Amino acid sequence: MVIGTCDGFTLSVARTPAELDLAAGIRYRAYRATGALPECASARFLDAFDQAPDARTVLVWHGDRPVAATRTLVSRDTARTDLTAALAFGDVIREVIPPQAVVIEANRFVVDPEVAGMNRRAIWPMIRANLMRCAFEEGDYFVAALRPAHLAFYARVLRLSVASEERVYPGLRTGMHLMTADLHTQVPLIMAEFTALQATHAEQSALFGEVSCVHPDHPHARPGL
């Protein structure tokens, strides 16, 4: 099963420490490029949420090279402490989202600045991966913390609404706003406008089910997955 998009991109979920390390390196380089992180000897960025049971870190590959990464989380906890965004916006999330709702969060949404020409192109497979998680988990609401420069793009493409004032995000030097969307009303509109983001249930299950499937000929395919 190919989990991917056009332009030669494929997606896989990081299942091993080595794969998570690839994502951590991309995060570090991306955050350093925007001044969001101080220099660190490990040249990696990880946090406690990487080990959360419902965390899924998705690597975006172009050919045999990882060029981007994103992480998705699922919250069914009324306190919302299982969301990274709650570190800065917990009060806002609890105020604007019903306590019984299933919430999907996109975070650690990064493109490797060392790979030329990928900054715009690799965004779309990451968006597709997050929408696949929303569908697979039957989510009710979507949340993401975004820098001011990115608000207009995600309002346009994902129909997100700004739900908070700017706050400095813990662990980074970056001011961000919380953005949210009601998935039941917005996803049909997104899919009607951006048909390339659509995915089958088989693709969703292959990426976010118990095992992650990639193209059998992909250089990063692993036996039994």
Side-chain angles (χ1 to χ4, degrees):
M1 175 68 68
V2 177
I3 306 303
T5 63
C6 60
D7 260 355
F9 290 107
T10 54
L11 303 171
S12 67
V13 169
R15 300 283 181 179
T16 68
E19 291 164 341
L20 185 57
D21 186 69
L22 290 174
I26 295 172
R27 289 177 191 169
Y28 176 80
R29 292 189 290 275
Y31 290 149
R32 282 289 294 157
T34 62
L37 278 180
E39 188 173 358
C40 173
S42 70
R44 300 291 185 270
F45 185 85
L46 296 163
D47 65 33
F49 289 91
D50 285 316
Q51 303 304 322
D54 284 325
R56 299 291 183 272
T57 294
V58 178
L59 288 163
V60 178
W61 302 83
H62 193 257
D64 62 356
R65 183 167 186 175
V67 298
T70 183
R71 185 176 67 196
T72 74
L73 295 170
V74 181
S75 175
R76 296 179 174 85
D77 174 16
T78 57
R80 304 304 180 193
T81 55
D82 47 1
L83 296 175
T84 313
L87 295 175
F89 303 105
D91 58 326
V92 180
I93 295 170
R94 290 187 292 271
E95 179 180 348
V96 302
I97 294 179
Q100 72 278 9
V102 176
V103 181
I104 311 299
E105 180 188 6
N107 55 54
R108 306 301 179 229
F109 195 97
V110 290
V111 179
D112 195 336
E114 293 187 353
V115 185
M118 288 297 165
N119 195 46
R120 291 177 181 268
R121 295 169 63 196
I123 288 173
W124 293 96
M126 287 193 288
I127 289 174
R128 187 168 185 258
N130 279 286
L131 288 172
M132 289 167 68
R133 188 83 195 270
C134 291
F136 183 74
E137 303 289 349
E138 299 182 347
D140 300 308
Y141 284 83
F142 185 80
V143 301
L146 296 162
R147 289 186 287 149
H150 296 162
L151 301 183
F153 175 80
Y154 289 102
R156 169 74 183 90
V157 174
L158 289 178
R159 298 176 175 266
L160 301 177
S161 299
V162 177
S164 77
E165 75 283 7
E166 184 176 342
R167 298 179 182 180
V168 176
Y169 208 72
L172 300 174
R173 297 171 169 175
T174 309
M176 293 186 173
H177 295 264
L178 183 75
M179 298 191 81
T180 66
D182 180 332
L183 292 169
H184 298 291
T185 60
Q186 300 305 331
V187 167
L189 300 174
I190 295 167
M191 294 304 181
E193 184 172 3
F194 301 101
T195 56
L197 296 176
Q198 296 175 7
T200 65
H201 182 71
E203 288 180 292
Q204 298 160 14
S205 297
L207 194 61
F208 294 114
E210 288 302 312
V211 296
S212 176
C213 300
V214 296
H215 192 284
D217 297 325
H218 193 285
H220 299 278
R222 298 184 300 283
L225 297 185

